[in-house]
Amino acid sequence: QVQLVESGGGSVQAGGSLRLSCTSSGNDYSSGCMGWFRQAPGQEREWVASIRSVGSSKWYGDSVKGRFAISQDNAKRTVYLEMNDLRPEDTAMHYCAADPTGNCVSFMYWGQGTQVTVS
């Protein structure tokens, strides 16, 4: 089992920045993949970014490419999402997820989410 806790959400004006954090506990996920997702009210969940724990390969959704950056500190078991040039359409509950298999597809562990509101 892996437990995930997100933090760092809040309310910002358009053009502002936030850094989300996701700290894990439980089984070691160092051979896996971590991802950030978001969901706005009435909309489907959207994949935002992923990072593979070994090698740190990164991928981004088209809507955030060039504005968001995912990173990790394996010693702290924490994954970060640096969000810059925020837009009102970024408003959503943001979730981190863990895929212990490392294929960045089978995200089976999820956090409770942290709200990001951009006005």
Side-chain angles (χ1 to χ4, degrees):
Q1 287 288 328
V2 175
Q3 292 79 44
L4 304 173
V5 178
E6 303 98 333
S7 61
S11 297
V12 296
Q13 292 188 337
S17 299
L18 284 173
R19 188 177 80 156
L20 306 184
S21 300
C22 173
T23 300
S24 74
S25 60
N27 289 350
D28 189 359
Y29 72 95
S30 61
S31 60
C33 178
M34 297 294 292
W36 285 97
F37 295 77
R38 65 187 183 185
Q39 188 167 21
Q43 297 187 19
E44 294 187 353
R45 185 171 61 198
E46 177 189 12
W47 167 71
V48 175
S50 298
I51 184 168
R52 188 166 279 141
S53 299
V54 177
S56 295
S57 296
K58 305 172 185 179
W59 300 269
Y60 297 95
D62 288 342
S63 63
V64 306
K65 203 172 294 182
R67 300 188 298 123
F68 290 13
I70 190 170
S71 61
Q72 63 187 355
D73 184 335
N74 285 337
K76 295 182 179 179
R77 302 187 67 169
T78 299
V79 174
Y80 304 97
L81 185 68
E82 186 75 35
M83 305 185 296
N84 299 309
D85 188 23
L86 283 162
R87 305 166 181 171
E89 54 263 39
D90 295 317
T91 296
M93 186 70 79
H94 285 64
Y95 301 90
C96 75
D99 170 7
T101 71
N103 64 16
C104 297
V105 174
S106 306
F107 290 98
M108 58 187 70
Y109 301 108
W110 294 81
Q112 293 299 306
T114 185
Q115 177 68 36
V116 172
T117 302
V118 185
S119 59

